[in-house]
Amino acid sequence: MKPLAAYLPILDWGRGYTRAMATDDLIAAVIVTIMLIPQSLAYALLAGLPPEIGLYASILPLVAYAVFGTSRALAVGPVAVVSLMTASAVGEIAAQGTADYLTAAVVLAFLSGVMLIAMGLFRLGFLANFLSHPVISGFITASGLLIAASQLKHILGIPVSGATLVDIVGGLAAGIGDTNMATLAVGVPATLFLFLVRSRVKPLLVTAGLGPRMADILVKAGPVAAVALTTLAASWFDLGARGVHLVGHIPSGLPSPHMPILDPDLWAALAVPALLISVIGFVESVSVAQTLAAKRRQRIQPDQELIGLGTANIASAVSGGYPVTGGFARSVVNFDAGARTPAAGAFTAVGIALATMFLTPLIADLPQATLAATIIVAVLSLVDLKALARVWAYSKSDFAAMAGTILVTLGFGVEPGVVTGVAVSLALYLHRNARPHMAVVGIVPGTEHFRNINRHKVITGERVLSVRVDESLFFANSRYLEDRLLELVAERPAIAHVVLQATAVNEIDASALESLEEINRRLGDSGVAFHLSEIKGPVMDRLERTDFLQHLTGRVFLTQYEAFASLDPETAHIAEARSPRRATPASFWIGPQI
C-alpha cells in the first residue's frame, strides 16, 4: 500500500520547508499574482463568463494543487485553450450571460475534476499518449488563431459570433463598417504596447542598468500597466459614453462555496467535452511540469498530477469557477521568479483573494478591448505555423495528423478538431503497424552482425533465409507477416530454413501467434524448417505457456549468428574469415550499398 505522502505530496516537501524557501515562494507569488489578475479577467471573458469568475477560478484551485500536485513550479489557473473549449462546450447548452451558462461552466469544471481524479486513481495517465505531439501542436496553433480572431471584435467594438474561423472572419468583414473608433483607439495602442513590452523592453531595461531579474519583473507587469492606463483613460474621457464596452461592476468579496447542481441531463450533455478538456488540460500541464522539473533535476508523478489537477478543478467548481489547468506562461514566470515549492501557488491564491476583496471596484472602467489585447498577445505566442514545414520534412503521416487537426479546428470548432486529431493519429498508427518494416538480412563479413541486404554489403547463403521484423506482432500486422514471409520463400526455391529474427518484437498477441502457427505449418508442408532467433524474455515466457514451441519445425536460437552458424556453417565460416573489403565468391550474394 502506498504511503499517505504519495497521495499528499505536501507531506513530502512540507517536512523540509524553510524560511528561505518561503521567501523565494513569496517573491514568486507576488510576480505571478501581478500577471494572473489581468489574465484571469481576460480568460473569463474568453470563456463567455463574467470577469470575476476568472478570479474565483484562481483561488481555491491553486490551494488544492499545492496540496495534491507534485510539480514544484507549475502554476494552475484559467488558460486560453481551456477557456475557448469551455465557451464552445457550454455555448451548445445555454446562451452567454444567463444563469444556466454559468451553471453549466461550473458543472463542466466539476466533471473534469472527477474524471481527472478517476484517471489518476486507475493510473490512466498513459491515455494522454493517444494525443501525439503534432496533434497537440496543431490543436494549440489552431486554437491560438481562433482565439486571436475572436478577440478582434473587442478591438473593433463590433458584435461578432461564431465558433469557426470562417464564421468569425465573415462576421468581422460584415461589421467592419460599424467599427467604434473610440474602442479602436484603446485596443490598437494596448495591443502594440503589450507586443513591444514582450519583445523589446527587457533588453532596453538591462542596457539601462537594471538587473535581469528586475527587468523581467517589470516586463511581466506590462499587462498591469496596460490595465491601469486604459482604465484611467476610460474614466477621464468617459469612454463608456462613447460606446466603449467596459468591464463594469465586479462584485467584491469571495465566493460562497457550493456544490454544483445535480442534473443528469446536463451532466450527460457535458460528459464528452469534460473528457476532452481533461485530456487536453492534462497533456498541456504535464508537458510544462516535466520540462520545468527537468531543469532542476526534479521529477513529477503523472498519475498524481491527474489527481492534483482533478482536485483543482473540483475546487474551482465548488468556488463557482470553471475548468483550470497548468498554464505555460505563468508556470515559466513562476519558475523564473524562483518558486521553490507548490506553496508559491497557495501564496498566489492569497494575493488573488485580496485583489478580489479590495481591488475590484478599481477596474469597473477597464475597457474590454484591453483584456482582448492581453489575450491576443498571449495566444499568438502559442501559434507555430513553422512546425508544419518541420513535420512535413520529417514525417508525412504526422503532417497529415497535424494539418488535419488545424483545418478541422479552424473550420468546424475545437471539439471536432481534437477528435479528428486523435482519430487520424490512431488510423495512421494502425496503418504504419499493419505493414511493419521487414528486411532480409545477411552477415557483415568479418563480424557477427546482420544487416539489411539492401543497405549494406553482406553475405547470404543459398539455403537459409534470414528475415528481421521491426515491430511487435499483433492482430493488425499478423496477416501481412504471414503473406510476406511466404512470398519471400516462394521467390527462393533453394531455401531449406527460414529464421525470423525478433530483435524488435516486444509482444506477440493471440492473432499473431495463430499466424506464426500457420507459417510454421505451411513451411513444414513445403519442406522448409521455421526457426526463431533473439526472442525477448517476456515474449518467450508467453510462448512457453502455449504448445507452439512443441510443434515448431525448427529451433529457437539465442542469437541470429548462432542460427546462421548452425544452419549454414560453411557460409558462416567464409563470412567470419572474409574481410569486408575483400572480394566474395560469386556463389554468395552481396547486396548493394544504398
Side-chain angles (χ1 to χ4, degrees):
M1 185 174 179
K2 284 187 176 182
L4 186 60
Y7 296 102
L8 292 173
I10 190 174
L11 298 179
D12 182 23
W13 58 262
R15 293 191 191 98
Y17 200 64
T18 64
R19 180 175 296 181
M21 289 181 176
T23 301
D24 290 340
D25 286 342
L26 279 170
I27 294 173
V30 170
I31 297 172
V32 174
T33 300
I34 292 172
M35 177 185 183
L36 193 54
I37 291 174
Q39 273 195 357
S40 299
L41 298 170
Y43 290 153
L45 291 177
L46 174 61
L49 296 164
E52 66 268 17
I53 302 302
L55 296 174
Y56 299 163
S58 302
I59 302 174
L60 281 186
L62 280 70
V63 178
Y65 183 82
V67 175
F68 293 96
T70 61
S71 172
R72 302 293 181 96
L74 190 70
V76 173
V79 300
V81 173
V82 170
S83 298
L84 176 65
M85 296 181 72
T86 298
S88 175
V90 179
E92 297 291 329
I93 295 173
Q96 289 189 14
T98 64
D100 289 341
Y101 190 94
L102 176 57
T103 297
V106 172
V107 169
L108 188 63
F110 188 81
L111 278 176
S112 178
V114 171
M115 290 178 178
L116 286 165
I117 291 176
M119 291 169 65
L121 292 176
F122 287 100
R123 307 182 67 83
L124 299 180
F126 70 90
L127 292 177
N129 296 334
F130 288 117
L131 285 172
S132 65
H133 178 74
V135 167
I136 290 294
S137 177
F139 175 72
I140 291 177
T141 291
S143 298
L145 293 173
L146 271 180
I147 292 169
S150 70
Q151 295 307 296
L152 290 176
K153 64 183 180 183
H154 297 300
I155 301 294
L156 299 174
I158 58 177
V160 176
S161 61
T164 69
L165 188 63
V166 174
D167 292 339
I168 293 172
V169 172
L172 290 172
I176 193 70
D178 298 326
T179 298
N180 183 286
M181 300 310 295
T183 302
L184 192 67
V186 173
V188 171
T191 305
L192 293 175
F193 170 76
L194 292 173
F195 269 119
L196 289 174
V197 167
R198 179 180 286 263
S199 60
R200 302 289 178 84
V201 170
K202 183 176 180 179
L204 293 176
L205 293 176
V206 172
T207 303
L210 281 179
R213 188 171 185 179
M214 181 57 67
D216 193 58
I217 293 173
L218 292 176
V219 167
K220 297 301 185 296
V224 176
V227 166
L229 291 173
T230 55
T231 301
L232 289 174
S235 177
W236 286 343
F237 298 107
D238 194 17
L239 295 182
R242 302 186 182 209
V244 176
H245 294 285
L246 307 177
V247 168
H249 173 68
I250 298 178
S252 299
L254 300 177
S256 300
H258 62 278
M259 290 300 295
I261 184 173
L262 180 58
D263 182 342
D265 293 335
L266 178 60
W267 285 42
L270 292 173
V272 173
L275 178 61
L276 294 176
I277 287 175
S278 299
V279 175
I280 291 291
F282 171 65
V283 171
E284 181 179 353
S285 178
V286 79
S287 299
V288 177
Q290 288 175 334
T291 300
L292 297 179
K295 291 183 177 182
R296 291 181 179 170
R297 297 189 178 183
Q298 298 168 346
R299 59 192 301 267
I300 65 167
Q301 300 291 338
D303 291 321
Q304 182 61 31
E305 281 297 291
L306 285 166
I307 296 175
L309 292 174
T311 55
N313 275 279
I314 289 178
S316 182
V318 168
S319 57
Y322 70 104
V324 298
T325 192
F328 177 77
R330 72 173 66 100
S331 296
V332 172
V333 171
N334 195 40
F335 179 87
D336 290 341
R340 302 279 296 278
T341 72
F347 295 150
T348 300
V350 173
I352 299 294
L354 293 174
T356 305
M357 294 172 64
F358 302 112
L359 299 182
T360 51
L362 301 179
I363 55 178
D365 290 330
L366 171 62
Q368 291 187 14
T370 303
L371 297 179
T374 301
I375 293 173
I376 290 172
V377 174
V379 299
L380 286 183
S381 65
L382 303 176
V383 176
D384 186 11
L385 294 176
K386 294 181 179 178
L388 283 167
R390 296 195 300 269
V391 175
W392 169 265
Y394 185 75
S395 171
K396 302 299 185 292
S397 58
D398 285 336
F399 172 83
M402 185 176 185
T405 302
I406 292 175
L407 292 175
V408 174
T409 301
L410 294 178
F412 298 94
V414 292
E415 291 180 17
V418 176
V419 173
T420 298
V422 174
V424 172
S425 294
L426 291 176
L428 291 172
Y429 171 79
L430 291 174
H431 176 72
R432 284 195 298 261
N433 288 278
R435 298 177 62 87
H437 180 260
M438 294 176 62
V440 177
V441 296
I443 188 169
V444 178
T447 74
E448 296 183 1
H449 301 295
F450 286 77
R451 295 292 183 267
N452 191 335
I453 64 172
N454 294 320
R455 292 180 176 272
H456 302 273
K457 290 185 176 181
V458 295
I459 295 176
T460 62
E462 296 180 351
R463 291 173 48 79
V464 178
L465 173 64
S466 299
V467 180
R468 188 188 71 226
V469 58
D470 295 332
E471 185 59 68
S472 291
L473 305 179
F474 67 119
F475 67 92
N477 61 27
S478 57
R479 181 57 62 87
Y480 176 79
L481 169 71
E482 183 179 335
D483 294 342
R484 182 60 179 149
L485 267 182
L486 296 174
E487 178 185 349
L488 290 171
V489 172
E491 294 171 354
R492 296 163 172 80
I495 292 297
H497 301 277
V498 172
V499 183
L500 182 64
Q501 183 181 349
T503 311
V505 176
N506 297 314
E507 184 177 2
I508 298 175
D509 74 357
S511 298
L513 178 61
E514 289 187 8
S515 288
L516 291 178
E517 291 172 340
E518 180 64 15
I519 291 169
N520 181 60
R521 185 189 65 78
R522 294 176 64 177
L523 289 179
D525 290 345
S526 61
V528 178
F530 183 44
H531 309 267
L532 301 174
S533 74
E534 304 191 8
I535 299 290
K536 292 185 176 179
V539 178
M540 191 65 181
D541 291 341
R542 296 183 65 179
L543 291 178
E544 288 176 342
R545 292 199 293 268
T546 71
D547 60 356
F548 170 71
L549 298 178
Q550 300 172 17
H551 301 295
L552 187 64
T553 56
R555 297 167 51 192
V556 177
F557 294 95
L558 182 63
T559 67
Q560 182 65 23
Y561 180 77
E562 180 188 1
F564 195 64
S566 175
L567 302 174
D568 195 349
E570 182 180 353
T571 304
H573 176 72
I574 294 173
E576 182 180 338
R578 184 82 52 186
S579 168
R581 295 184 180 180
R582 297 175 61 178
T584 304
S587 58
F588 301 104
W589 194 90
I590 301 180
Q593 178 71 45
I594 297 178

